[in-house]
Amino acid sequence: MYVHHTVIVDPDVTDNEWQTLEEVKSSMRRLQQIRPDLGLDVPYNMVAFCMSDDELVLCEGRGVGRTGAHTRNHNRSALGIAFQGDFEDQALPGNIDAQLSAFAEWLRDLRNNQGFSKLGYSRPDDKQVWGHRDSPTASTACPGQNLYDKLTLIRFIDEEDDIAMDKSTWRIVQLALQAQNPPLYAGRAIDGKPGRYTHIAIRAFEKRMALEARGVIGILNNPAASIWPATRELLFVTAAADLIAE
Ligand SMILES: [Zn+2]
């Protein structure tokens, strides 16, 4: 998820605030014409307008179902959303904090309820969205320093997901589990996907560790939620055994 600004300002005193939906519509029509080389449509997936009545208006560009043309090398893997305005040289809208959290709520719904479960899967260390200028191949100030400084406010990933294992950590766990002797999972490949053998392995682990089955590890009827603590335990057990052996 990449955030941009369009560098198009409102020609009144509040450059980054918009007054009416008519203004929004004509701005969107203008954006359709702005890069004819990319096609006569709005190249961003969505465009956000900070309204002077404190509302946030989100307009569909290419929409969330189509590939945008906004961030080199990331158009297929990420959504690009532009805020209408110039957030480098002009002041932030008065209600920007609330508008960014409204935007975050929209993203949360997209992620949790609309099938965009990988939204935010790749993100910088300190934020849940990228600014255009975070892309290594971009030489741009986009989305402008003033907006960039506020990107940490866009938080849409639920806490438990936030602390779940990232891909590289999971890979380390996977390799550590795979290397155990005697082999776990009857020597089968550990693919990281919950399934029948995961279930068998969790049961076997519970039995081996004399845990009260179904009472201790994970969430009942949810193998996706139960595999993580189980594999973490296995890793700790292995580490402890190594320490004792030395
Ligand atoms: Zn940009």
Side-chain angles (χ1 to χ4, degrees):
M1 166 61 232
Y2 275 87
V3 174
H4 301 261
H5 68 160
T6 60
V7 205
I8 295 170
V9 298
D10 191 17
D12 66 12
V13 283
T14 53
D15 303 282
N16 287 332
E17 288 181 35
W18 307 84
Q19 278 70 41
T20 64
L21 289 179
E22 275 315 308
E23 247 182 348
V24 169
K25 284 179 203 164
S26 69
S27 301
M28 285 302 285
R29 281 194 288 271
R30 200 175 145 203
L31 282 172
Q32 286 177 329
Q33 317 271 333
I34 209 155
R35 285 291 301 272
D37 54 319
L38 300 175
L40 285 175
D41 64 356
V42 178
Y44 305 103
N45 298 95
M46 304 293 289
V47 182
F49 291 80
C50 297
M51 306 302 286
S52 56
D53 67 356
D54 294 349
E55 292 289 319
L56 182 77
V57 172
L58 275 181
C59 297
E60 188 173 59
R62 291 199 179 174
V64 294
R66 292 173 59 212
T67 301
H70 48 84
T71 316
R72 185 193 293 247
N73 297 334
H74 300 284
N75 289 313
R76 288 182 187 283
S77 57
L79 295 177
I81 299 192
F83 280 75
Q84 178 83 335
D86 178 343
F87 295 87
E88 178 74 15
D89 294 325
Q90 307 298 336
L92 287 167
N95 201 38
I96 188 70
D97 290 10
Q99 283 159 334
L100 290 178
S101 52
F103 176 55
E105 284 314 304
W106 182 79
L107 290 175
R108 186 186 304 277
D109 181 61
L110 206 58
R111 185 176 196 273
N112 292 354
N113 306 319
Q114 313 288 330
F116 285 77
S117 56
K118 291 202 171 150
L119 197 65
Y121 182 67
S122 162
R123 56 182 191 259
D125 289 339
D126 55 336
K127 300 189 287 283
Q128 297 187 346
V129 298
W130 302 89
H132 185 183
R133 71 184 212 189
D134 290 322
S135 168
T137 54
S139 61
T140 175
C142 182
Q145 189 66 48
N146 296 330
L147 183 55
Y148 187 79
D149 289 342
K150 290 278 186 183
L151 293 185
T152 49
L153 295 181
I154 305 174
R155 304 200 75 79
F156 63 98
I157 296 167
D158 294 333
E159 193 63 28
E160 52 185 310
D161 280 349
D162 211 13
I163 57 168
M165 272 187 226
D166 57 81
K167 204 174 181 179
S168 56
T169 309
W170 165 242
R171 182 81 187 129
I172 293 167
V173 173
Q174 204 176 3
L175 289 173
L177 291 173
Q178 198 80 71
Q180 291 205 47
N181 196 18
L184 290 165
Y185 292 63
R188 287 174 191 277
I190 296 172
D191 58 8
K193 295 174 197 145
R196 194 167 90 86
Y197 294 113
T198 307
H199 201 68
I200 293 169
I202 291 173
R203 286 296 173 92
F205 171 72
E206 288 168 338
K207 201 174 168 191
R208 196 166 63 248
M209 301 304 292
L211 299 175
E212 213 173 297
R214 299 296 87 205
V216 179
I217 299 178
I219 298 165
L220 208 59
N221 298 328
N222 187 349
S226 59
I227 181 64
W228 303 111
T231 50
R232 276 193 187 130
E233 286 296 329
L234 286 167
L235 191 66
F236 291 142
V237 168
T238 314
D242 286 350
L243 284 176
I244 293 162
E246 283 167 16

